[in-house]
Every structure is written in structure tokens, then in C-alpha cells.
Amino acid sequence: MFALVDCNNFYASCERVFQPALEGRPIVVLSNNDGCVVARSAEAKALGIPMGKPWFKVAPAVRGAGVVVFSSNYALYGEFSRRVMQTLTQFSPRLEVYSIDECFLDVGGHRGDLTALGQAIARTVRRWTGIPVSVGIAPTKTLAKVANRLAKKGQAGQGPVCHWGEVAAPREALAALAVEDIWGIAARWGGRLRQAGVATALALAEADPSWLRRLGGVVLERIGRELAGCSCLPLELVPPAKKQIMVSRSFGERLSSLTDLQGAVAAFAARAGVKLRRERLRAQAVTVFVQTSPFADAEPWYANGVTLVLERPTQDSGRLVQCAQEGLTRIFRPGLRYQKAGVLLMDLTPAGAEQGLLFASQTPDSPATMRLMTCVDTLNREPARRVVCHARELVSTRWQMRQQRKSVNRPTDWAHLPVVHA
DNA sequence: TCTGGGGTCCTAGGACCC
DNA sequence: TCTGGGGTCCTAGGACCC
């Protein structure tokens, strides 16, 4: 049995924990650069604010409704995510952290009422972290997703918990679920399935698995079987090693000069290096890409990227910054207003293993370099603190994002720790 | 004025191996 | 009449997730 624990309106709920006055008020959280709506409180959903739409297009329609707007604060959400997942380990040692706000638990070993267990989970997470969650319990991951959806809608009648085994009319529940609302099926596949006469989760659950495989490959067949109660997607207890690491950002303002882009790309490469070392990996290929705005109809559209392959894999931010700069000079075209750039690390290998080379011209990362990286990472460890950086990162910081409504980090920043008066 | 970031998996097809 | 069988590696493209 799987339990899917999903935080309700996660980013909005995080913002509310230290500002209880926001309880009951509509909250939206915007994407990086204060662009699109990426999270909404229940009150904001009730106002009809859509997900994923640019805020500047949405805002006029809800002016005067008292909507509280936040820039996204990933240091804060990451900390709350860590606390929620830590709390969940109380209830099962076998868990898969599926995303920043979702976790699958193996509750197969639980003796006793699973609905009561779900309620204990929701109660404890709320009390220990301040975050409200919903719990769906079922014999497959896909059905746990369905059950979680019912729990969120309060259709199970058990508060924020739905145990699939106790749903009074499971066939009717599946028949009421549109095919594109199933986990793993989005607009494209939804359209194709509808054309083939499959419009609901019930129809998919009852379809012939071999027919599903011919139509949509092994992925679709698994979804069908999972909906029918046959578990095909196991719990991933050990997170698999990353295959690529990306750092990319839209700029706070359009940039035209090579110098401004150099500053941005250096900062992205250095940030990617930090992530690389945290994962104990090395990279052998570095891609850098730039693009102009896809929305500026009056301007020429330009998007380009280039990949540089190293002779030996590296963990050295200096090498990564250097590579990214070299790539940038190859794809930079003057006279354009760039909107976004990014650095992608690929061909990742574990830091401990070294493939020898017979005719090597480059040297591997030296012990001195690695000590330097460790030292720099330690100095910069505090979130959003940058004590030491590459000079290239300082040639320009004009790329930095708009974040006009970012909250402070009460749980992780000494300067903003809440004070309790007795 | 303004439009996110970071990932994964699967398949088909080409090239190549013995 | 009948034209092998079994495999790997790589890449591009499509689709999906939160």
C-alpha cells in the first residue's frame, strides 16, 4: 500500500506559516522574475486566478480583491519541504520524496486502520511544521494520486484523507475523472485517448493493456494497469544519480552587451558547480545557451547554444566558468536584446571514479583545487550568501532577477528569527 | 513594461558489431 | 519458394512531471 502525502497550495502555505494574519486571504506566489502565477491559496483559486499565467495579465481582473502577492522564495520553501519530509519519516522508514511538496510512503507494513494513519500523518505534519497536507492511500501509486485528489476535494468524507479501499463507489469515482487529469497524461495524450474513445479514468482502467501498449507504449500500458489496481511503479527509495544539472534564469531586464552576459553566465556556471559538488559528481560536457524574448514580435528572435566537451571530467568551478565563457563568445551576436541564458552540465560521473587516459594533455582536478572548492563552498554555505566568487561574476550583475515581493527567511536567517514574548 | 526553472523517461532510426 | 539472428550505442524528438 502506498500513501501519497501532498502539501496543500505548498508555496502559499509556506508564506502563511509566519504570517497567520494571512489566514483566509487570497495569496499568489509568482515564478522567478515575478513572471507567472505558480501557486495560489484556496481563496485565490476561488477568485478564478489561473495557474501558470503571467501575473501582469491576471492582476487587473482581481484588483481590489485584496490579493497578497509574493515573489518565490525557494530557500524558504526548501526548508519547509525538508521539515515536512523529516516529519514523515516518523510514519514509515520507506519513503520516496517525489517533489518539493509530495512524498510517497510505503504503508504496507502498517497493522491497523489506514484511514486513521492518514489522519495522524496530516495532524502531525500540520502541528509540527504548520503546513496542511492531504493524504491518498491506495495499492498503486497512480491510484494513490487519484485518492489524494479526492481527499483534497473533501469527497472522501474523512477530512484530508482518502483510503481507496474505503471509497464507497470506486467505479463511479474513476468514471468522474477526466482522462487528462490522470497522473502521467496531459493534453496531448488526453486528446489522442479521447479520439480512441477513452475519455475517463474508468475507460482507461478497463482498456486492454496490449491495446494500450500499441497506442502509447509501455508508459500508457503501465498507467492503465495501475488504475486497474496492478502496481507497476515501485517506490524509489534511493534517489537515482542526476544525469544533468542546469542553472538558467530570465534576466530582470533585457541585456545587450557581451560583458553583461559574461557576468550572468559566469554566475550560472559557478552555481552549477556548487550543485555538482553537492551531488558528488563531475561533469565532462558544458552547454551554454542564450536567447532573446520569444514574445517580442518586433525584434529578431535568436536562440542558440553550444556544447564544449572536456578531456577529463571536472568539479572545478574555475574550469566550468572558463568553458561557459568560451561557449558564450561563440554564440553571442551583437545588437540583440537577450532575455535569458543558462548553463547545463552533462556527462556526469561519480566523483570517486576516474577513467585513466593514455594520451592526456589536460590534468585532472588537483587536490589543491579540490581543497579550494571545499573552502569556497564552506564560506558561501549560508543561503544567498556569497563571500567569495569568481571575478568574472562581478563584471556585471545587471542580469539579476526582479523579486520585488520576497518574504524574509524566518526559519533559516539569524537576522529574521521570530521572537516569542512570554 | 511585464511571459519560470529544472528535470525524467521512452521510442524510433541510424550506424555499427559478430 | 526460401536471402540470418541478435545485439549495442547514440541522437533527436516527443511527452510528461512539479
Side-chain angles (χ1 to χ4, degrees):
Chain A
M1 292 297 280
F2 299 90
L4 172 63
V5 181
D6 190 323
C7 301
N8 300 345
N9 317 319
F10 182 54
Y11 297 171
S13 298
C14 291
E15 298 292 353
R16 202 128 69 177
V17 170
F18 290 106
Q19 293 194 60
L22 296 180
E23 206 69 45
R25 293 193 59 184
I27 298 175
V28 302
V29 180
L30 304 181
S31 61
N32 272 332
N33 235 8
D34 293 346
C36 299
V37 175
V38 293
R40 307 157 294 161
S41 71
E43 299 79 7
K45 288 176 187 171
L47 284 174
I49 296 173
M51 182 73 169
K53 288 277 158 37
W55 175 241
F56 75 92
K57 287 188 175 177
V58 176
V62 294
R63 191 156 293 143
V67 179
V68 184
V69 182
F70 288 98
S71 304
S72 36
N73 184 345
Y74 288 102
L76 182 72
Y77 312 149
E79 171 61 16
F80 273 108
S81 177
R82 193 190 63 76
R83 293 179 183 204
V84 169
M85 303 310 170
Q86 179 70 38
T87 304
L88 293 177
T89 61
Q90 300 283 318
F91 295 95
S92 174
R94 292 165 50 82
L95 76 183
E96 172 188 343
V97 177
Y98 175 67
S99 75
I100 193 165
D101 71 335
E102 282 176 66
C103 186
F104 286 104
L105 276 71
D106 178 356
V107 292
H110 182 76
R111 297 283 162 260
D113 183 7
L114 285 172
T115 302
L117 175 70
Q119 285 165 342
I121 290 173
R123 205 166 46 237
T124 308
V125 172
R126 179 72 197 244
R127 188 174 179 92
W128 291 12
T129 70
I131 301 293
V133 301
S134 301
V135 185
I137 300 171
T140 74
K141 282 178 157 183
T142 307
L143 284 174
K145 277 271 191 183
V146 174
N148 193 284
R149 199 184 161 87
L150 297 182
K152 275 212 162 68
K153 290 183 172 177
Q155 286 178 358
Q158 301 284 353
V161 179
C162 173
H163 176 4
W164 185 249
E166 293 176 3
V167 171
R171 281 176 55 86
E172 281 74 3
L174 288 179
L177 183 61
V179 73
E180 44 279 288
D181 290 334
I182 298 166
W183 186 40
I185 294 174
R188 295 289 173 88
W189 274 115
R192 279 184 228 178
L193 282 164
R194 277 177 188 279
Q195 275 195 334
V198 175
T200 69
L202 181 64
L204 190 53
E206 294 183 341
D208 174 21
S210 60
W211 178 76
L212 287 177
R213 178 177 281 248
R214 282 197 303 279
L215 185 69
V218 67
V219 176
L220 189 62
E221 181 188 347
R222 281 192 197 128
I223 294 172
R225 287 186 185 274
E226 284 247 322
L227 285 171
C230 168
S231 181
C232 308
L233 303 170
L235 212 59
E236 286 191 352
L237 296 171
V238 181
K242 284 199 186 304
K243 296 178 176 175
Q244 53 183 47
I245 289 173
M246 169 132 79
V247 177
S248 74
R249 294 284 182 278
S250 295
F251 308 137
E253 55 179 303
R254 303 284 182 264
L255 302 178
S256 293
S257 80
L258 180 58
T259 306
D260 286 337
L261 287 172
Q262 283 173 332
V265 164
F268 301 164
R271 174 79 193 131
V274 172
K275 291 187 182 186
L276 187 68
R277 292 186 292 276
R278 193 194 294 150
E279 300 283 334
R280 300 186 192 287
L281 294 169
R282 286 188 294 203
Q284 199 164 4
V286 181
T287 298
V288 54
F289 65 88
V290 296
Q291 64 176 56
T292 59
S293 171
F295 303 100
D297 295 335
E299 296 177 35
W301 158 247
Y302 176 69
N304 203 356
V306 63
T307 301
L308 289 87
V309 177
L310 302 170
E311 196 183 61
R312 292 174 180 274
T314 187
Q315 260 193 331
D316 177 4
S317 277
R319 299 269 313 275
L320 299 175
V321 169
Q322 217 177 354
C323 262
Q325 297 295 314
E326 191 188 323
L328 174 63
T329 58
R330 288 199 210 165
I331 55 175
F332 176 79
R333 301 279 176 278
L336 299 168
R337 295 171 71 238
Y338 293 91
Q339 176 247 358
K340 181 178 182 174
V343 170
L344 178 62
L345 306 182
M346 295 174 303
D347 287 2
L348 307 183
T349 49
E354 174 76 47
Q355 171 64 52
L357 287 177
L358 198 50
F359 305 106
S361 57
Q362 290 174 4
T363 53
D365 295 342
S366 70
T369 302
M370 293 322 302
R371 284 198 299 276
L372 176 64
M373 288 299 110
T374 305
C375 179
V376 169
D377 288 344
T378 306
L379 287 168
N380 292 342
R381 191 164 46 198
E382 262 183 57
R385 187 152 166 249
R386 205 171 53 158
V387 178
V388 183
C389 69
H390 298 85
R392 273 286 178 193
E393 298 177 60
L394 299 175
V395 298
S396 169
T397 54
R398 285 181 62 191
W399 62 272
Q400 278 165 348
M401 295 182 290
R402 270 191 311 276
Q403 289 189 318
Q404 294 180 339
R405 300 159 183 274
K406 193 162 148 186
S407 55
V408 294
N409 289 338
R410 300 207 175 275
T412 57
D413 187 341
W414 286 114
H416 294 109
L417 277 187
V419 177
V420 178
H421 298 279

